[in-house]
Amino acid sequence: MAYIESAHNDRVRAWARLKTRRGRERAGLFLVEGERLVADLLKSSLRLEALLWNVSSDEPPEALWRHPKADGRRFELSPQAFAAVADTETPQGLMAIAAVPQHEPGYGPRVLVLDGVQDPGNVGTLVRSAEAFGFGEVVIGPGTADPYAPKVVRASMGGLFRVRAIACGVEHYLRVWRDRHPGGVVVATAADAVDRCDEAPMAGEVAVIIGNEARGVSDGARRLAHRCVAIPMAGEADSLNAAMAGTILLYEAYRQASNRAI
């Protein structure tokens, strides 16, 4: 176990660079902040690179601090060094550095495709919803927020550790997915769609596309969709944000599949 006092320590500086996309891409690592997310990380198949404890905070739970994955990877940091690494303004006392997994597209039977979803909170929430409703693969299309950015990791609430996040061109992925699932359906959200989401067939093999917050689903992805659907609403609001709309569609797909299984 090592103790690091200075915020200018080389390790601390390297870890702090993981707050940027360029730093994460260069190192192949990302930050995980807080006891709950660290616990989820340690339960997952992802590789732990370092476990960091702020020595001015309460001692971490023994089950986390002494976890076998952390052997030889524990670091005690001064408050100044810990704050230099953390992304949050008031960080909890425990943080981890993990390796970004190198997933290949699996083209599974139920997938979520993010087509230019830019807001980190939306991306993290959609990853969390995908995991909750049985969508094991999330496609991170061009223009979509980095799934391993600190805000996305926090918003996913551990879902990111349990689903496959694939960086891939949306149109290429959808073409391959359609070839592999000839009986499947590709469903895109569209504010101008006539079909309702609760009337679209999503009980079987399905790829759900969620588009950019301002522009919606791209023309290329929309052309590859079998159905464009809208969410029926009773109020005067003309749209929902990407995370809420996507969660409703994912739940609807889950509901239909559950009803068919009964």
Side-chain angles (χ1 to χ4, degrees), residues 83-143:
V85 178
D87 181 67
T88 53
E89 291 185 10
T90 55
Q92 298 182 38
L94 195 66
M95 184 163 37
I97 311 296
V100 174
Q102 301 301 311
H103 295 307
E104 294 295 328
Y107 304 103
R110 295 170 77 77
V111 300
L112 171 64
V113 179
L114 303 185
D115 184 20
V117 180
Q118 295 180 324
D119 181 79
N122 284 340
V123 172
T125 299
L126 285 165
V127 169
R128 183 182 183 185
S129 296
E131 196 259 336
F133 298 124
F135 284 68
E137 185 158 294
V138 179
V139 177
I140 308 297

Side-chain angles (χ1 to χ4, degrees), residues 85-210:
V85 178
D87 181 67
T88 53
E89 291 185 10
T90 55
Q92 298 182 38
L94 195 66
M95 184 163 37
I97 311 296
V100 174
Q102 301 301 311
H103 295 307
E104 294 295 328
Y107 304 103
R110 295 170 77 77
V111 300
L112 171 64
V113 179
L114 303 185
D115 184 20
V117 180
Q118 295 180 324
D119 181 79
N122 284 340
V123 172
T125 299
L126 285 165
V127 169
R128 183 182 183 185
S129 296
E131 196 259 336
F133 298 124
F135 284 68
E137 185 158 294
V138 179
V139 177
I140 308 297
T144 296
D146 179 6
Y148 296 100
K151 289 181 181 179
V152 179
V153 175
R154 292 196 297 273
S156 78
M157 293 297 291
L160 186 62
F161 309 149
R162 297 182 288 271
V163 303
R164 297 161 55 86
I166 309 294
C168 186
V170 168
E171 293 178 43
H172 171 76
Y173 184 94
L174 289 173
R175 289 192 188 96
V176 176
W177 191 90
R178 286 176 53 135
D179 287 343
R180 296 193 181 187
H181 301 278
V185 59
V186 179
V187 178
T189 52
D192 60 351
V194 175
D195 293 343
R196 295 163 50 114
C197 65
D198 54 342
E199 296 174 349
M202 294 190 286
E205 298 172 339
V206 61
V208 173
I209 312 173
I210 304 299

Side-chain angles (χ1 to χ4, degrees), residues 196 231-240 244 248:
R196 295 163 50 114
I231 298 169
M233 293 182 287
E236 296 184 9
D238 59 0
S239 65
L240 299 171
M244 186 173 293
I248 290 172

